Amino acid sequence: MAELHFYNSYTRQKEKFTSITPGYAGLYVCGPTVSGESHLGHARPYITFDVVQRYLKHLGYKVRYVRNITDAGHFEEEGRDAIDKVGEKAKLEKLEPMEMVHKYTSLFHYGMRLFNCEEPAIEPTATGHIIEQIAMIETIIEKGYAYEVNGSVYFDVKKYAENYPYGKLSGRILDDLLETTRELDGQEEKRNKVDFALWKNAPPEHIQRWISPWGEGFPGWHIECSAMSSKYLGETFDIHGGGMDLLFPHHESEIAQSTIAHGHPPVNYWMHNNMITINGKKMGKSYNNVIKFSELFSGNHPLLEQPYHPMVIRFYILQTHYRSTLDFSNESLQASERAFRRLWEAYELLQKINHPGNADAGDKTLDQQVITWCNECEDFMCDDFNTAKVIANLFEIAPVINGMKGGQVAANALSANTITLLKKTFKVFLEDVLGMQPLQAVQNNNFDKVISLLIEIRTDAKKRKDFATSDQIRNKLAEGGILLKDEKDGTVSYTIE
RNA sequence: GGUCGGAUGGCCGAGUGGCUAGGCUCAGCUCUGCAAAAGCUGCUACAGCGGUUCGAAUCCGCUUUCGACCUCCA
């Protein structure tokens, strides 16, 4: 098993990954709140961690990947009106909360499939784990780190900080938080403004409510992840992932809750992806600058010049390291589209190459270079999942493949072993690890027969120097998005836009 | 205000001390009936100012500037 290193947000440095149980890896990723349609910003963590879990599998780990669905009313507990996001939105849409949550969950899953994100092993919902959350809250109360007020339960952060390193993950200093001048409503029940809700009493008009030892109410936001991750991955598990914006307060709170409930920190490695920005600003509901999945795929949004294929989005995201911000623009998305098309066509060409099978390379220098490019892919992934560098290497190889077809690279330049390595590298990294798929599904035989017939007619016309007919066929097909290419060897291939 | 992280060629983006990532765009060339595709070549950048060093995009300091978090957020 190759040595995997990646950046641990908790220690703020790259570390060698050692799983708790050799050969097994547990990964928990904060999933979406299904009170609205997912947007481009959401694509980043789920594609990032899809690649993480794919690569762990590639390294031979048996991975249990858990990604939750937040379908319980987690509310803006520090916010102005303590709104239950799910309940409030449901009222607006005149939907049952369950109905709304189902709708957006389905849309989310639809997006995930299009992005070719593999399904998590377990996708627990917050509403399905109320009992576990209540049990965990009771334990925290028993241990003296939570208190009940008017049917709500709060975590005593100040007391926690006296005995544990509160704020280490997010670099927060408790005194600064206590001193903050920001005045927020709905704080009067708390002993300190830094305390966060574990359970919230439900006012009469609140739709989502469950019976608890403290009356009818609903769980706080942070507790669901702690309850569900420990249930399915254990009290201490390997990797917890999510967006950087969840560092505080969400993940900091998770650490505090779990540490008290279980007597030790919950996670060995924390991973955080950076944000997608738009005009330099984070894409988010509160900024009103989101582009939803459906808008992205249809192009139906004022900021979009055209629709973008899910695979183009995936490629665009993976061309950047996951810890860097990624700025949205039509220009960069279009660049990604062209680039991906070229790379994928080279890959298809590679699969068709019938190599003479000479044991010795005709061009030893090139042969060695190709071997190096291939082998480096593993090193790059093992160094903090550097998908950008993997893609760069695949692009280095593309001209070699195209050159073999075009005749610029001698057919025997590479040894048979190198060709085999090349085919394997593209398959493993481009398809299995990066999870890329072709932009269009493979055409069925009938379609191919029709196009082949047209190509045949055109080839005949060209032989007779009847360029009017040959150009007519080519141009008309081009109008329909089918591009013909006269290859150097006299054959004709086609691509579909 | 506090904490943290950025500033790389026309654009997007890797990269932590020497070996000019990669992509897109643009220009020229090869191939070609023409075109497209492909290949080749060119465009040598690291916010500014100091410092450390034989040598810095990469380390240190200061300045300018952008952003994230501090409130729900991927």
Side-chain angles (χ1 to χ4, degrees):
Chain A
M1 204 175 273
E3 271 203 3
L4 172 65
H5 291 75
F6 59 86
Y7 186 86
N8 184 348
S9 311
Y10 192 73
T11 57
R12 293 162 198 252
Q13 59 189 18
K14 278 187 202 171
E15 291 177 359
K16 178 180 182 300
F17 176 63
T18 309
S19 66
I20 295 164
T21 308
Y24 291 80
L27 171 65
Y28 186 91
V29 174
C30 289
T33 301
V34 283
S35 60
E37 197 183 331
S38 305
H39 60 78
L40 175 59
H42 296 112
R44 171 103 105 144
Y46 305 128
I47 289 172
T48 297
F49 290 106
D50 181 51
V51 171
V52 167
Q53 74 71 40
R54 281 167 180 267
Y55 193 63
L56 287 168
K57 282 182 191 164
H58 164 78
L59 289 179
Y61 289 98
K62 193 166 187 322
V63 180
R64 179 175 284 175
Y65 175 24
V66 180
R67 186 185 64 206
N68 67 295
I69 294 281
T70 298
D71 60 348
H74 85 252
F75 40 86
E76 303 182 355
E77 55 178 277
E78 306 285 337
R80 289 101 209 141
D81 308 311
I83 294 171
D84 168 349
K85 284 173 74 179
V86 172
E88 194 68 17
K89 187 80 187 291
K91 272 190 262 173
L92 283 172
E93 299 200 358
K94 292 195 168 63
L95 294 172
E96 277 295 317
M98 195 76 179
E99 192 179 4
M100 183 198 70
V101 150
H102 183 256
K103 173 183 164 186
Y104 291 123
T105 301
S106 298
L107 278 171
F108 172 70
H109 285 155
Y110 173 69
M112 288 300 104
R113 273 195 300 277
L114 291 179
F115 285 126
N116 198 28
C117 288
E118 291 182 347
E119 279 185 41
I122 302 174
E123 193 171 56
T125 59
T127 54
H129 296 76
I130 299 293
I131 290 167
E132 288 83 350
Q133 295 179 70
I134 288 174
M136 196 165 178
I137 295 167
E138 285 182 311
T139 305
I140 296 170
I141 294 174
E142 277 166 29
K143 299 210 174 167
Y145 282 85
Y147 54 91
E148 188 210 330
V149 184
N150 302 331
S152 293
V153 182
Y154 296 98
F155 188 89
D156 191 339
V157 171
K158 200 172 175 186
K159 178 170 180 184
Y160 176 81
E162 285 165 10
N163 303 305
Y164 300 94
Y166 181 78
K168 182 171 185 319
L169 176 69
S170 57
R172 228 45 56 135
I173 297 159
L174 185 68
D175 288 342
D176 292 345
L177 291 170
L178 288 168
E179 277 171 21
T180 185
T181 51
R182 191 190 286 267
E183 264 317 312
L184 298 166
D185 301 330
Q187 302 283 324
E188 55 288 335
E189 287 181 348
K190 297 182 184 177
R191 288 181 190 166
N192 290 290
K193 58 176 59 172
V194 289
D195 294 349
F196 57 86
L198 295 170
W199 187 264
K200 202 70 177 154
N201 174 254
E205 69 276 14
H206 200 97
I207 309 175
Q208 278 192 308
R209 53 206 302 137
W210 290 269
I211 305 272
S212 81
W214 318 285
E216 285 195 10
F218 51 99
W221 173 35
H222 314 303
I223 196 73
E224 62 171 274
C225 287
S226 294
M228 297 189 290
S229 61
S230 60
K231 172 161 183 171
Y232 298 112
L233 294 172
E235 289 182 3
T236 303
F237 58 96
D238 295 307
I239 307 171
H240 188 130
M244 269 185 179
D245 49 353
L246 298 181
L247 267 166
F248 190 89
H250 185 52
H251 291 159
E252 199 68 66
S253 304
E254 273 190 55
I255 291 175
Q257 293 164 349
S258 295
T259 301
I260 294 305
H262 302 135
H264 50 78
V267 175
N268 287 150
Y269 300 87
W270 286 90
M271 283 184 74
H272 292 91
N273 63 276
N274 215 318
M275 301 291 104
I276 289 184
T277 59
I278 183 158
N279 295 322
K281 285 263 190 291
K282 172 184 161 186
M283 183 175 289
K285 281 168 218 159
S286 30
Y287 296 94
N288 234 342
N289 61 354
V290 302
I291 305 174
K292 296 169 182 166
F293 285 174
S294 56
E295 294 166 335
L296 222 37
F297 304 152
S298 68
N300 186 22
H301 187 283
L303 286 164
L304 297 176
E305 291 171 5
Q306 60 165 85
Y308 296 98
H309 193 284
M311 278 304 114
V312 169
I313 310 279
R314 187 175 175 111
F315 194 68
Y316 157 78
I317 286 173
L318 295 178
Q319 269 182 302
T320 304
H321 187 85
Y322 74 92
R323 285 193 288 118
S324 301
T325 53
L326 171 57
D327 197 51
F328 163 87
S329 73
N330 281 283
E331 209 181 351
S332 47
L333 237 21
Q334 283 158 12
S336 287
E337 182 174 329
R338 291 201 186 95
F340 177 59
R341 241 176 235 287
R342 188 164 78 87
L343 188 63
W344 194 270
E345 277 175 29
Y347 174 45
E348 287 185 336
L349 214 51
L350 175 65
Q351 291 168 305
K352 288 181 204 150
I353 284 176
N354 277 320
H355 190 256
N358 48 309
D360 285 325
D363 184 339
K364 291 238 165 25
T365 311
L366 182 66
D367 191 72
Q368 191 51 52
Q369 178 62 260
V370 169
I371 291 170
T372 303
W373 281 329
C374 288
N375 291 336
E376 279 176 343
C377 289
E378 201 82 62
D379 303 337
F380 294 156
M381 285 304 290
C382 278
D383 184 12
D384 204 15
F385 303 102
N386 200 324
T387 55
K389 281 186 137 187
V390 171
I391 291 173
N393 265 31
L394 297 180
F395 271 113
E396 293 275 18
I397 298 167
V400 178
I401 298 168
N402 288 328
M404 286 169 82
K405 165 93 175 176
Q408 296 91 345
V409 174
N412 68 347
L414 304 181
S415 74
N417 283 344
T418 304
I419 293 282
T420 305
L421 174 67
L422 198 49
K423 287 185 176 179
K424 188 179 165 218
T425 300
F426 263 77
K427 166 75 171 70
V428 166
F429 285 92
L430 192 57
E431 277 201 77
D432 300 345
V433 173
L434 298 183
M436 298 307 301
Q437 289 179 323
L439 288 176
Q440 67 276 321
V442 177
Q443 297 299 331
N444 71 38
N445 257 339
N446 292 341
F447 180 84
D448 190 70
K449 277 178 188 161
V450 173
I451 301 297
S452 298
L453 174 65
L454 287 166
I455 289 173
E456 211 174 289
I457 294 169
R458 176 167 169 274
T459 305
D460 279 348
K462 279 176 68 180
K463 274 184 192 152
R464 298 192 313 269
K465 300 219 184 287
D466 177 6
F467 296 124
T469 302
S470 69
D471 287 351
Q472 185 191 12
I473 291 172
R474 187 178 66 198
N475 296 340
K476 287 285 181 193
L477 284 177
E479 282 172 25
I482 298 158
L483 303 176
L484 299 187
K485 293 186 210 167
D486 292 329
E487 303 290 353
K488 297 198 108 180
D489 56 8
T491 62
V492 181
S493 63
Y494 67 90
T495 55
I496 301 160
E497 272 192 336

